[in-house]
Amino acid sequence: QEVLGEDKLMAILKEREVKIYWGTATTGKPHVAYFVPMSKIADFLKAGCEVTILFADLHAYLDNMKAPWELLELRTRYYENVIKAMLESIGVPLEKLKFVRGTDYQLSKEYTLDVYRLSSMVTQHDSKKAGAEVVKQVEHPLLSGLLYPGLQALDEEYLKVDAQFGGVDQRKIFTFAEKYLPSLGYAKRIHLMNPMVPGLTGSKMSSSEEDSKIDLLDRKEDVKKKLKKAFCEPGNVENNGVLSFIKHVLFPLKSEFVVLREEKWGGNKTYTAYEDLEKDFAEQVVHPGDLKNSVEVALNKLLDPIREKFNSPELKQLTNAAYPNPSKAKPAEKGTKNSEPENVVPSRLDIRVGKVISVEKHPDADSLYVEKIDVGEPEPRTVVSGLVQFVPREQLQDRLVVLLCNLKPQKMRGVESQGMVLCACSLGEPRQVEPLDPPAGSCAGERVYVEGYESGEPDDELKPKKKVFEKLQADFRVSEDCVAQWKQKNFLTKLGRVSCKSLKGGSIS
């Protein structure tokens, strides 16, 4: 998508092949968007470049401890196996690649001294700005996150490369490296950037937003389920994660895409130019259901060799050890003070940003509204809320809300409610209620999570007898600056904190 230092690139190519590295921090499980850099690595190798792949294990720990120290070695081994399986899946010869781990050289005396030298030159402002789109942003950031961009800059020198390749979200780190490496007496490198694939919900595909991504090891039924829920409005080519995946992943790998459909709808059609497919979708010649089914088939062909490789007992064991399931954690020992089963964690809640499309009075209950709420699914959900005496109807219409989506649907005066609008409630009398507000600019369907619990899978449906929501809700509070929290950890979306207008110190229900 972008190149910084093209003149230098051309000058090197007149004399020899270019040395390039691509790095990945070993945090959450790699997802299908990783096929974008993998296909470009294949291009580099075909062009004769020397390519190094860096498994940045130390970076993973520095980024707000996304990979705990005790899991670092396991996750690095997982990444090494899964990235190699991806490359083999698209026919990249591994013998032409060099694989390196960050801790192989980042703990050396020389590298450590350079980290200190760099820290004496870099301002806190520059470091925070450089990592803004890569390092996890929280209200009270750890010092480790400020070190992250400096280490990534130094990697260019210590890996002895001419160029670094990464996503366009790395641009600020790349310009940071161009500014500061010469200050240490090191050469400024070339930077090559690939586009970022929007997720299935329309935002960036992210390891921490479960519904936005398809994991490389997702079962076929999981792929079908996630694609079925994906945002793909008829004729809408904006923020369409399914179309974007075809454009950035499937077309570069195969140079064509086949839309599969029944003969009565025109039969199969092969596209050799993405623009033609986008035009047909915009004109509703191609139906979203056919598009999703076709992506499902093409994607499973890519994933089958990876699934097969990870079906071995050894790699199954590695996967489970590197990414232990939080819902299967052992309960606290009996007799422990404030003991609570460890598996009752906020990541089990499927909380999303919703947009209220319509609000009507319940036909059989004066205190209830019946709302239609868009949560990024093909059809809006019907939700019944007891907000009539607290929130005027016109204040609910078209506003963004925070919706709990995996409660068991239940009938309320004859109307089935498919979710719960989460609200701040005053503790005193008279009772006041305010719907929680997602950050400005949020989109329907975006995941809402509790800080520190981004990576867990929500339950498909919360079982009423288990009372998971009720146990978690006991620790829901609104802070003194009106931020929604669980045990003093903020409710967040990728754009920031979830809040309410005025009910400081209130409860949330």
Side-chain angles (χ1 to χ4, degrees):
Q1 181 169 320
E2 187 178 359
V3 179
L4 300 177
E6 193 165 350
D7 291 345
K8 185 174 183 179
L9 178 63
M10 295 305 177
I12 293 171
L13 284 169
K14 287 177 182 176
E15 299 177 8
R16 58 175 173 81
E17 303 297 358
V18 178
K19 298 177 182 178
I20 297 174
Y21 102 86
W22 174 80
T24 180
T26 53
T27 53
K29 289 180 182 177
H31 45 70
V32 291
Y34 277 60
F35 276 115
V36 176
M38 295 303 107
S39 64
K40 187 50 62 177
I41 285 168
D43 289 346
F44 290 146
L45 290 172
K46 286 173 191 169
C49 300
E50 293 181 31
V51 183
T52 298
I53 290 182
L54 170 67
F55 298 110
D57 47 359
L58 201 54
H59 289 73
Y61 180 69
L62 291 175
D63 187 1
N64 209 53
M65 295 185 290
K66 280 185 182 175
W69 194 259
E70 62 274 12
L71 295 179
L72 209 55
E73 166 65 18
L74 292 166
R75 291 199 177 170
T76 304
R77 280 169 49 203
Y78 176 86
Y79 262 70
E80 194 164 339
N81 279 282
V82 87
I83 295 292
K84 287 179 178 178
M86 286 185 80
L87 291 164
E88 288 170 338
S89 170
I90 60 172
V92 176
L94 299 185
E95 62 273 12
K96 290 188 177 181
L97 287 163
K98 182 180 178 185
F99 296 93
V100 179
R101 294 187 184 198
T103 46
D104 289 345
Y105 63 91
Q106 290 167 346
L107 302 177
S108 69
K109 177 181 176 182
E110 295 76 16
Y111 189 95
T112 304
L113 284 174
D114 272 344
V115 171
Y116 287 139
R117 285 172 64 202
L118 200 57
S119 68
S120 70
M121 302 173 183
V122 177
T123 64
Q124 179 184 348
H125 172 269
D126 279 5
S127 184
K128 190 173 181 181
K129 180 182 174 184
E133 292 187 47
V134 177
V135 180
K136 183 184 168 190
Q137 300 301 296
V138 294
E139 190 173 3
H140 301 292
L142 296 171
L143 179 60
S144 58
L146 296 176
L147 295 174
Y148 188 113
L151 268 71
Q152 189 166 336
L154 287 170
D155 289 341
E156 296 179 348
E157 173 63 25
Y158 279 79
L159 291 171
K160 302 300 177 189
V161 294
D162 305 306
Q164 183 179 174
F165 166 54
V168 75
D169 61 336
Q170 308 267 337
R171 193 183 196 281
K172 290 176 182 174
I173 288 184
F174 291 167
T175 55
F176 172 94
E178 290 186 2
K179 177 180 178 180
Y180 282 106
L181 277 189
S183 303
L184 294 173
Y186 299 140
K188 184 163 71 171
R189 264 62 180 193
I190 302 152
H191 294 103
L192 309 151
M193 287 162 268
N194 64 256
M196 303 304 294
V197 177
L200 299 177
T201 54
S203 56
K204 171 183 163 183
M205 194 173 285
S206 165
S207 294
S208 60
E209 190 179 343
E210 189 56 38
D211 280 344
S212 80
K213 66 181 177 110
I214 292 173
D215 277 337
L216 297 169
L217 300 183
D218 272 350
R219 299 169 304 165
K220 290 187 177 183
E221 51 265 42
D222 295 326
V223 172
K224 181 183 285 291
K225 181 179 171 185
K226 288 181 179 179
L227 282 170
K228 191 175 180 181
K229 290 167 66 176
F231 177 78
C232 190
E233 192 176 56
N236 186 351
V237 298
E238 299 298 322
N239 294 322
N240 187 321
V242 180
L243 267 180
S244 298
F245 185 74
I246 296 168
K247 178 180 180 180
H248 294 300
V249 177
L250 299 177
F251 254 103
L253 288 173
K254 300 289 184 184
S255 301
E256 66 174 32
F257 182 75
V258 181
V259 173
L260 306 170
R261 58 190 177 190
E262 295 179 31
E263 287 298 329
K264 64 180 179 180
W265 304 120
N268 296 352
K269 183 171 181 181
T270 300
Y271 290 89
T272 54
Y274 170 76
E275 293 72 21
D276 295 339
L277 172 63
E278 186 178 279
K279 180 173 178 287
D280 276 2
F281 187 83
E283 294 173 359
Q284 300 193 33
V285 174
V286 174
H287 187 270
D290 292 330
L291 194 73
K292 288 182 178 184
N293 291 338
S294 307
V295 169
E296 182 186 338
V297 170
L299 183 53
N300 279 320
K301 283 181 182 175
L302 282 176
L303 297 182
D304 277 341
I306 303 171
R307 293 184 188 118
E308 188 176 344
K309 182 174 181 178
F310 272 77
N311 208 26
S312 71
E314 181 188 357
L315 288 181
K316 277 183 178 178
Q317 186 178 359
L318 173 62
T319 304
N320 292 333
Y323 297 94
N325 188 339
S327 66
K328 293 182 180 176
K330 293 178 183 177
E333 291 181 20
K334 288 182 180 178
T336 306
K337 188 179 180 184
N338 296 328
S339 66
E340 179 183 338
E342 288 179 21
N343 64 342
V344 182
V345 289
S347 54
R348 293 183 63 181
L349 305 179
D350 181 3
I351 306 177
R352 300 184 223 165
V353 175
K355 183 172 183 181
V356 180
I357 296 171
S358 68
V359 189
E360 304 292 342
K361 280 278 196 74
H362 192 296
D364 298 317
D366 291 341
S367 63
L368 302 177
Y369 285 130
V370 178
E371 304 121 2
K372 294 287 185 184
I373 301 180
D374 177 9
V375 287
E377 296 170 339
E379 298 294 331
R381 292 194 178 205
T382 300
V383 178
V384 180
S385 305
L387 295 173
V388 171
Q389 59 184 313
F390 303 109
V391 185
R393 180 175 158 185
E394 60 272 15
Q395 287 185 19
L396 271 181
Q397 180 68 45
D398 297 324
R399 74 171 284 162
L400 293 178
V401 293
V402 174
L403 195 75
L404 178 61
C405 294
N406 60 342
L407 288 174
K408 184 177 180 179
Q410 64 180 66
K411 286 197 173 180
M412 299 178 71
R413 296 286 186 91
V415 178
E416 185 175 83
S417 182
Q418 299 166 323
M420 177 194 291
V421 176
L422 294 181
C423 299
C425 307
S426 62
L427 297 177
E429 295 295 337
R431 189 163 187 250
Q432 295 174 276
V433 176
E434 295 174 355
L436 294 181
D437 291 314
S442 296
C443 296
E446 282 179 20
R447 187 178 173 213
V448 177
Y449 55 88
V450 171
E451 189 176 342
Y453 292 87
E454 300 90 328
S455 58
E457 289 252 10
D459 292 12
D460 288 337
E461 182 177 284
L462 298 171
K463 306 300 180 192
K465 287 183 179 178
K466 300 283 186 183
K467 298 196 178 296
V468 172
F469 174 67
E470 290 80 0
K471 289 173 183 175
L472 291 165
Q473 186 192 10
D475 293 299
F476 285 2
R477 290 287 182 274
V478 178
S479 71
E480 289 306 308
D481 53 353
C482 291
V483 176
Q485 296 184 330
W486 176 77
K487 291 188 175 181
Q488 299 183 316
K489 294 181 183 293
N490 295 335
F491 281 59
L492 300 168
T493 74
K494 61 175 185 172
L495 294 179
R497 303 181 299 180
V498 172
S499 59
C500 70
K501 290 196 168 45
S502 63
L503 300 181
K504 300 177 181 178
S507 62
I508 298 173
S509 59

